[in-house]
Amino acid sequence: NEIIEFCLKGPMKAYYTFVVDSKFNNMTPVKYLWHKVKSLLIGLVLNSIFMFGLVSIIDWAGPDAWKWMIGFVILVVIIVQVLFPVTVAKCFNTFTPLPEGQLKVAIDDLVSKTNLDCKQCYMVDGSTQSSHSNAYVAGMCGTRRIVIYDTLVKDLQNDQPRIKAVVGHEIGHWAGKKIGT
């Protein structure tokens, strides 16, 4: 599945990256291809493990396999949510703890006001791939983290209230998922 998608969608994604989105793209063709190969390999390994687990459950449980498969899928989703930020994401970017200073204080204050169970805030080198600005909240069970792109800090000229607004928006996504909206 990954190989077929890589072959069929790859040229269009490359066209989008290097032509349509060229104004924001900071990747070389070699780096772009290397990221795609890493994505393909990681996807193949993870999907192979997942499919092996499902087939093993079917072999073991027979007609009642669907019950065990539901539990297995839930377990896999939880494991991916816990491990993705500390394993897979590091294959594509460098994450450094947000340095002490006014911005970290502002983000920590925002986290405490929103009851987000997050003690980690990182800056990611998103500028190596794109000049788009972004932030996100990822992980669970002790791996939850706020990630701020270096381009966001640069674009907003280290304006703490505006950066805090973007991070607040991302925390809002987390809160919305938590309460089901």
Side-chain angles (χ1 to χ4, degrees):
N1 189 26
E2 281 85 13
I3 294 172
I4 293 169
E5 184 175 328
F6 181 78
C7 293
L8 294 177
K9 293 183 179 179
M12 287 306 295
K13 288 182 178 183
Y15 176 80
Y16 180 83
T17 300
F18 291 104
V19 177
V20 176
D21 206 29
S22 63
K23 178 177 166 184
F24 301 103
N25 178 39
N26 294 335
M27 295 183 83
T28 65
V30 171
K31 187 171 184 178
Y32 175 83
L33 187 59
W34 176 234
H35 273 238
K36 291 301 177 188
V37 168
K38 282 193 287 188
S39 295
L40 178 66
L41 292 174
I42 290 169
L44 285 171
V45 168
L46 294 179
N47 281 328
S48 296
I49 293 168
F50 182 69
M51 293 308 293
F52 176 78
L54 290 177
V55 170
S56 297
I57 290 170
I58 292 169
D59 286 345
W60 169 74
D64 291 330
W66 68 272
K67 297 173 189 174
W68 294 98
M69 290 169 72
I70 290 170
F72 177 72
V73 169
I74 291 170
L75 180 65
V76 167
V77 168
I78 290 170
I79 289 170
V80 168
Q81 285 291 315
V82 170
L83 295 180
F84 180 85
V86 295
T87 57
V88 177
K90 289 184 176 181
C91 293
F92 299 95
N93 291 96
T94 302
F95 295 80
T96 54
L98 193 65
E100 295 296 326
Q102 291 179 339
L103 180 57
K104 183 164 180 7
V105 169
I107 300 301
D108 289 345
D109 180 54
L110 184 61
V111 167
S112 68
K113 287 180 181 175
T114 59
N115 294 323
L116 175 67
D117 60 334
C118 175
K119 304 279 186 255
Q120 304 171 49
C121 189
Y122 290 92
M123 180 92 58
V124 66
D125 63 340
S127 61
T128 61
Q129 298 166 352
S130 170
S131 58
H132 285 292
S133 299
N134 205 358
Y136 64 89
V137 177
M140 61 186 283
C141 300
T143 65
R144 181 161 289 130
R145 59 200 47 218
I146 295 171
V147 178
I148 301 171
Y149 282 52
D150 58 350
T151 51
L152 180 69
V153 175
K154 180 183 171 214
D155 290 349
L156 297 182
Q157 299 171 352
N158 209 23
D159 183 345
Q160 277 88 21
R162 291 172 64 199
I163 296 169
K164 190 174 170 182
V166 172
V167 173
H169 170 88
E170 297 305 322
I171 291 173
H173 287 299
W174 166 82
K177 289 175 188 171
K178 184 177 174 187
I179 59 174
T181 57

